[in-house]
Amino acid sequence: MRLADLDEIRKVDRYIEVTPDAYPSSIGPSSDEKDVNDKRTLIDILWSDPRGGDGYGPSYRKGKGVYMFGPDVTRAFIAKNNLQCIIRSHEVKSAGFRWDHPQLLTVFSAPNYLDTGNNKGAFLKLTQLSAGSDIDIETVCYDAVPHPDLPPMHWQEHVMTNYPHLTQIMKKKVGSLGFDEFGDSDFEGLMNFDEWEPAEADAFQEAFKFDRYGREIS
């Protein structure tokens, strides 16, 4: 695995659409095509999840091009880019936040996610006391409050009526899922966020020791 640096990330084209086909196709051999690599980078930055053990490999959501990374990957990225820490979102945390790695903080601002999570929400206060000093990170947690007395989907109907150009008609997927399909939960019993697909993990790790020319990656 080769870690990107911040300059490479800045060059990623944000004005592209990550289509459903982009997720499974992000798993494959390395490419020189900028569009392919930009989509892979966006997917990885947006959806990859931390795990407790070292390494990098496909998660149970590998069909969506989603990977997991360990504290060794976090340490290497921070050292390479001279960062204090990484702050991310995407996963529900029962307390509203969690230090998944010593230098990786997840914060989630939606309390009682999907009206079933019973989780707190959180936001961060960042303070730098002097130029060049570390940034002080203060977590502020809060509970959910009752919904406004409005009918379900009130704001969706408002947007569709007044701003139809912002909406698209989508066919609802039928079927019952045993967990949140997009992995936005770390609650016990739904899934194990500290494991990737065991049948493929060893081969995946071995493949990332060499580049496409067969040269060993340090």
Side-chain angles (χ1 to χ4, degrees):
M1 178 189 64
R2 187 186 66 80
L3 288 171
D5 57 37
L6 294 181
D7 286 337
E8 291 179 75
I9 294 174
R10 291 187 186 100
K11 294 175 183 176
V12 170
D13 183 7
R14 266 71 164 177
Y15 297 95
I16 57 176
E17 180 180 2
V18 180
T19 63
D21 292 339
Y23 289 86
S25 64
S26 72
I27 303 174
S30 58
S31 172
D32 291 325
E33 296 183 31
K34 177 173 171 51
D35 181 67
V36 172
N37 290 325
D38 282 357
K39 288 180 179 179
R40 288 177 175 179
T41 301
L42 285 174
I43 291 170
D44 215 15
I45 291 174
L46 289 171
W47 301 115
S48 60
D49 297 318
R51 71 187 299 266
D54 286 349
Y56 176 80
S59 74
Y60 67 94
R61 291 181 290 139
K62 66 182 185 302
K64 292 184 171 60
V66 178
Y67 302 90
M68 304 189 80
F69 60 95
D72 57 328
V73 177
T74 297
R75 287 193 302 269
F77 184 83
I78 285 175
K80 182 174 183 178
N81 293 283
N82 192 30
L83 303 176
Q84 177 181 331
C85 67
I86 298 170
I87 298 173
R88 63 183 290 273
S89 187
H90 164 54
E91 291 177 284
V92 176
K93 300 300 177 183
S94 58
F97 74 97
R98 181 181 177 186
W99 286 95
D100 292 291
H101 299 157
Q103 293 175 287
L104 179 74
L105 173 60
T106 298
V107 59
F108 196 84
S109 60
N112 195 28
Y113 184 56
L114 300 179
D115 288 335
T116 59
N118 294 318
N119 61 290
K120 292 179 179 292
F123 64 88
L124 305 178
K125 290 183 178 180
L126 307 180
T127 306
Q128 189 174 32
L129 298 179
S130 61
S133 67
D134 281 350
I135 294 174
D136 180 69
I137 302 172
E138 177 187 355
T139 56
V140 180
C141 304
Y142 49 89
D143 294 309
V145 298
H147 289 298
D149 188 18
L150 295 170
M153 310 305 291
H154 170 80
W155 291 112
Q156 177 173 318
E157 293 177 5
H158 173 79
V159 171
M160 291 179 66
T161 301
N162 296 281
Y163 309 100
H165 61 287
L166 298 178
T167 64
Q168 60 177 340
I169 298 175
M170 300 180 69
K171 182 178 179 181
K172 184 176 181 180
K173 183 176 180 179
V174 179
S176 176
L177 296 173
F179 52 82
D180 176 6
E181 185 182 16
F182 289 94
D184 289 331
S185 177
D186 68 345
F187 296 125
E188 183 178 359
L190 293 181
M191 63 202 68
N192 186 349
F193 266 74
D194 195 31
E195 292 299 330
W196 49 49
E197 294 287 339
E200 300 180 12
D202 291 341
F204 194 91
Q205 292 293 305
E206 190 67 27
F208 267 88
K209 293 180 181 178
F210 304 91
D211 65 17
R212 58 179 171 162
Y213 301 109
R215 298 173 299 195
E216 188 171 359
I217 300 173
S218 58

